[in-house]
Amino acid sequence: MRRRFADLPWGQVHYRTGGHGGAVPLLMLHGAGSNGAAVLPLAAAMAESRQVLLPDLPGCGDSDPLPGDPIEIADIARALLAVLDAIGVAECDVLGGHLGARLGIELALSAPGRIRRVILDGIGLYDDAGRAAMLARVAPTILPDATGDYLRRAHAMCTDYYRFFPWFENDAAHRRTAPPPDPRAVHAKLLEVLKNGATYAAPYHAAIRYRPEDRLPLVRQPVLIAANRGDNVAAQGPAVAALRPGAPFVETPGAASPRDTAAIFARFLDTPSDGAHP
């Protein structure tokens, strides 16, 4: 995977690319509070059979933030289409996780002639109270202070992200069933939050405001609904799939086995359009 930058009127977007083959390139979109490096193992596995494009979303990783406040999922989708224009990609498939999955929906709706197939890997649905709580607490701004206390607070938040869902409800009722977090995963998330503490919240909040229950039923491209077995929103997979009749739902091993997960996704992307099932 090689690293590149796309120049846009409002700034630069950092992306990785690699692989060749496939019907069209695959645009892979990471989740909130993260960057493209978080899905590099899966991207590398997908790149064995097709070209992969893996951007850092605006305000994340090494990509400049979008102007405006607030920004919405539609704004980020337009920015991604501008990235595709800048690097000469006329048509692609989309694989998005969490925030990236919401972007996959919006890309499919806003550019139906450019998005061939969509894989939505992990979508959480919120009621009004849950959405309000997430918007109020899930992605606090992290800025340096004279005492260094921001480092402790950021590390505690990133650790609790892997222990509880949502992370700020750190009690037994909200404890995740997954094993204790890998310190390397906590460290990677901590670096992202420290680096983009003033900008990572914008796409995070856009994802929470977005209502996939209203938008997903409108998508006409072939769609695969997926969730890895350890995902905090995996239990909602069947409910999400019901929003798009005919879309299959599949559980994957996720990061525990990127090659097996990639094989599931590749089968969907490569199945003839008259039977787009994994």
Side-chain angles (χ1 to χ4, degrees):
M1 303 290 289
R2 310 294 292 181
R3 303 177 71 164
R4 302 281 187 269
F5 282 90
D7 293 317
L8 286 304
W10 48 268
Q12 290 187 310
V13 168
H14 171 253
Y15 68 99
R16 295 171 173 88
T17 184
H20 58 85
V24 295
L26 175 64
L27 178 66
M28 294 184 64
L29 305 174
H30 62 80
S34 184
N35 58 64
V39 292
L40 264 176
L42 178 59
M46 296 300 300
E48 293 180 7
S49 60
R50 68 204 69 243
Q51 182 187 6
V52 171
L53 304 169
L54 178 58
D56 294 341
L57 295 174
C60 304
D62 290 322
S63 292
D64 292 330
L66 283 174
D69 181 26
I71 64 167
E72 303 296 350
I73 289 294
D75 299 317
I76 308 172
R78 282 191 292 270
L80 289 170
L81 291 172
V83 171
L84 295 179
D85 289 341
I87 61 180
V89 174
E91 184 182 16
C92 67
D93 294 325
V94 178
L95 164 54
H98 290 235
L99 161 62
R102 284 162 157 76
L103 285 165
I105 294 171
E106 198 59 27
L107 283 167
L109 293 174
S110 60
R114 301 186 67 175
I115 307 303
R116 192 186 71 115
R117 294 188 177 213
V118 183
I119 300 173
L120 307 176
D121 188 11
I123 292 184
L125 302 174
Y126 303 105
D127 59 20
D128 289 343
R131 184 175 289 108
M134 293 285 279
L135 287 171
R137 301 183 64 185
V138 75
T141 299
I142 302 294
L143 297 176
D145 57 51
T147 65
D149 185 61
Y150 75 104
L151 298 171
R152 180 197 59 79
R153 289 187 290 107
H155 184 270
M157 178 183 73
C158 293
T159 300
D160 284 348
Y161 174 88
Y162 291 98
R163 291 177 172 170
F164 304 96
F165 180 74
W167 71 266
F168 51 82
E169 299 288 1
N170 50 0
D171 55 29
H174 293 86
R175 184 176 293 276
R176 292 192 185 200
T177 58
D182 184 333
R184 293 169 296 182
V186 175
H187 178 70
K189 185 167 286 292
L190 176 63
L191 290 179
E192 172 63 23
V193 170
L194 293 177
K195 181 175 183 177
N196 294 298
T199 61
Y200 83 103
Y204 212 140
H205 289 165
I208 296 166
R209 286 191 295 269
Y210 190 77
R211 296 180 62 88
E213 59 269 38
D214 296 337
R215 302 294 280 166
L216 178 54
L218 305 177
V219 175
R220 293 295 172 259
Q221 295 93 326
V223 176
L224 175 65
I225 310 296
N228 79 69
R229 297 183 184 98
D231 197 327
N232 53 287
V233 298
Q236 297 194 47
V240 174
L243 296 171
R244 177 57 167 74
F249 169 67
V250 62
E251 289 188 347
T252 77
S257 181
R259 293 183 69 87
D260 290 339
T261 301
I264 292 169
F265 293 159
R267 283 197 296 273
F268 168 76
L269 295 175
D270 296 338
T271 299
S273 59
D274 58 351
H277 292 268

